Amino acid sequence: MCAEYATFGLAPAMRAGGVRNDGGYQVHRDFVDFIVDGRPLLFQLSDLDAVSPLASDVPPAIFTAQVRSLLLESPAPLPGGRYVVYGCPECEDLACGAVTAVIRSDGEDFVWRDFAWQTDEHADLELNGYHGIGPFRFRGAEYRAALSALLNGSAPEPRRRVLLIGPRVAVLAKLAAALRTIGVGADIAHDADGVPADELRGYGAVAFGHAAGEQERAAVRRAFERAGVPVAHVDGLAPIVPLLVAQIEHALDSSPAEQRRLTGLTVTDGGAHVEVTSACRVTLTAYRLDRLSRTHTHEVFDGVLETGRHRLALDAKAARSRSFLVARTSTSVLVAAVRQ
C-alpha cells in the first residue's frame, strides 16, 4: 500500500480523428482524462491509443453509471475488484484490450493499484502488469469532488460541430463528409446572419475555406461575438481535405495546453522541429498542391519520439513551396506551412 498521496483531477481530452491516405479514417472521440500529480495518466502508458470510460458520446445513463462505478457506488465490473481505466477508442470490446486497475477504498482514501493490460475477464499481472505505474493513493474529498462534478453538470461539454464557410461548395461538401465520417458534425453556410444564438452555441469551430473573402470572415466573427459564443476560427490553408480535417481537429482540442502530448511543430532550414511532452508515436505527413491544383502526399516520418524537441530532416518532396506538414499523435494534431 502506498504511503504518499497523489493528487487527482480530471480534464477534457481528445482522441484525434483523421482521414488516412489509404482511404481509411480514425474516429474522433472526446473524453475526460484522469490527471494524476498534474499529468494525464494516459501519458504514462507508453503510446497507448485509448480513451477513458468517461467519453462524451456515450448515453447519459451509461456515463453516469461509469462515474458512480469509479466512486465505488456499484460492484466492480471485472473479477478481483478491477475497473477499466482506458479502453479501445473504436468499440467497447474488452477483447481489443484495455488498461484495468484495482480500485478500492481505504478509510476515506481511494487507492488505484495493480495496473494491467487485459484482453479477457482475468488479468495476468506477471505477464501484462504495468509494474512501474502506481499504486496511487488519493484523498477522498478531492477524488469525490472531481468525479461528482461530472454528475452535477459543472463539467464543460465539448462542442463537436463545425460551421464551414466558403464559396467552394464542392470542396466544403467533401470536407463535411470527411468530418461526419470521423464523428464530427459539420454544416455548410455562406454566412451566419440570422442564426439564433442557441444554434451558434452548438459549434466548437468555424472553418473558412481558402477562397472565403475577408468581409465574409469578419461578418461571421461578428455574428458569434454578438451571440456571446466563443468559438475557434480556422483559416483553411489549402483545399486539401486531410489537411483541413487536421486543422479542424487541432481547433477542437479543448484539453489544457500544458497537458498535451504534442506541443510544437515548426519548419526551418529544411527540417521539421517536433516537440513532445512524453514518449509517443508521431507521424509526419506532407501535403502539396502543384500548379494544376493536384494534391501530392508524402509520408515523412512514422516512429516513436522520446520526450523533448526533435529535428526531422525533410527531403525535397516535402520541402517544396505550397507544402504543408501535419504532425499527429493519438491525442494531438498540429499543422505547419513550409516557408521558403
Side-chain angles (χ1 to χ4, degrees), residues 193-263:
D193 292 342
V195 179
D198 286 344
E199 187 173 336
L200 292 180
R201 290 191 185 97
Y203 294 108
V206 177
F208 299 102
H210 188 62
E214 188 51 45
Q215 289 185 342
E216 294 174 275
R217 299 168 188 246
V220 171
R221 292 189 179 100
R222 286 194 299 270
F224 278 90
E225 289 171 359
R226 286 194 301 268
V229 179
V231 67
H233 296 98
V234 178
D235 293 317
L237 292 172
I240 302 172
V241 170
L243 174 68
L244 295 172
V245 169
Q247 286 189 265
I248 291 170
E249 281 290 291
H250 173 67
L252 291 175
D253 190 351
S254 60
S255 62
E258 66 275 10
Q259 292 172 359
R260 297 181 185 179
R261 176 169 265 164
L262 178 63
T263 56

Side-chain angles (χ1 to χ4, degrees), residues 11-17 27-33 51-58 63 157-161 183-184 249 252-255:
M14 179 183 80
R15 190 265 190 146
V27 174
H28 175 109
R29 297 291 302 277
D30 291 299
F31 64 99
V32 177
D33 200 4
V51 299
S52 82
L54 305 177
S56 65
D57 54 355
V58 301
F63 185 91
E157 294 186 6
R159 291 178 293 164
R160 201 172 63 244
R161 289 193 71 80
V184 176
E249 281 290 291
L252 291 175
D253 190 351
S254 60
S255 62

Side-chain angles (χ1 to χ4, degrees), residues 296-315:
H296 298 265
T297 304
H298 180 54
E299 299 294 342
V300 177
F301 178 81
D302 184 349
V304 175
L305 296 179
E306 297 298 323
T307 303
R309 186 175 175 85
H310 305 265
R311 183 185 185 279
L312 305 175
L314 299 178
D315 60 24

Side-chain angles (χ1 to χ4, degrees), residues 145-156:
L147 287 168
S148 296
L150 300 177
L151 298 176
N152 61 28
S154 62

Side-chain angles (χ1 to χ4, degrees), residues 15-302:
R15 190 265 190 146
V19 178
R20 299 194 183 105
N21 299 323
D22 60 4
Y25 62 91
Q26 181 168 292
V27 174
H28 175 109
R29 297 291 302 277
D30 291 299
F31 64 99
V32 177
D33 200 4
F34 308 110
I35 308 301
V36 178
D37 285 336
R39 296 189 69 245
L41 179 60
L42 183 61
F43 291 4
Q44 297 188 41
L45 299 168
S46 186
D47 186 40
L48 184 66
D49 181 15
V51 299
S52 82
L54 305 177
S56 65
D57 54 355
V58 301
I62 295 178
F63 185 91
T64 298
Q66 294 285 9
V67 175
R68 296 199 180 282
S69 177
L70 294 172
L71 287 167
L72 304 185
E73 296 179 6
S74 59
L78 296 171
R82 303 194 72 82
Y83 294 76
V84 173
V85 179
Y86 294 105
C88 175
E90 302 285 350
C91 69
E92 299 178 4
D93 193 344
L94 185 62
C96 290
V99 177
T100 66
V102 174
I103 302 179
R104 291 182 177 170
S105 60
D106 184 18
E108 290 296 313
D109 300 337
F110 288 80
V111 178
W112 289 23
R113 62 178 176 81
D114 297 337
F115 288 82
W117 177 254
Q118 196 165 339
T119 56
D120 54 37
E121 285 198 351
H122 299 280
D124 186 335
L125 289 178
E126 184 175 348
L127 182 64
N128 297 315
Y130 287 96
H131 303 293
I133 299 177
F136 301 114
R137 176 184 290 271
F138 305 117
R139 289 181 172 85
E142 180 182 57
Y143 184 90
R144 291 189 187 90
L147 287 168
S148 296
L150 300 177
L151 298 176
N152 61 28
S154 62
E157 294 186 6
R159 291 178 293 164
R160 201 172 63 244
R161 289 193 71 80
V162 181
L163 182 61
L164 308 178
I165 303 290
R168 292 189 174 183
V169 177
V171 174
L172 296 184
K174 291 179 182 178
L175 175 58
L179 290 170
R180 292 165 187 154
T181 298
I182 68 172
V184 176
D187 300 310
I188 302 172
H190 293 291
D191 55 53
D193 292 342
V195 179
D198 286 344
E199 187 173 336
L200 292 180
R201 290 191 185 97
Y203 294 108
V206 177
F208 299 102
H210 188 62
E214 188 51 45
Q215 289 185 342
E216 294 174 275
R217 299 168 188 246
V220 171
R221 292 189 179 100
R222 286 194 299 270
F224 278 90
E225 289 171 359
R226 286 194 301 268
V229 179
V231 67
H233 296 98
V234 178
D235 293 317
L237 292 172
I240 302 172
V241 170
L243 174 68
L244 295 172
V245 169
Q247 286 189 265
I248 291 170
E249 281 290 291
H250 173 67
L252 291 175
D253 190 351
S254 60
S255 62
E258 66 275 10
Q259 292 172 359
R260 297 181 185 179
R261 176 169 265 164
L262 178 63
T263 56
L265 174 65
T266 56
V267 183
T268 58
D269 301 325
H273 299 267
V274 180
E275 189 167 0
V276 294
T277 59
S278 64
C280 60
R281 179 188 175 192
V282 176
T283 62
L284 193 62
T285 307
Y287 297 94
R288 181 178 63 86
L289 285 177
D290 63 20
R291 285 176 290 183
L292 299 177
S293 296
R294 295 174 299 192
T295 301
H296 298 265
T297 304
H298 180 54
E299 299 294 342
V300 177
F301 178 81
D302 184 349

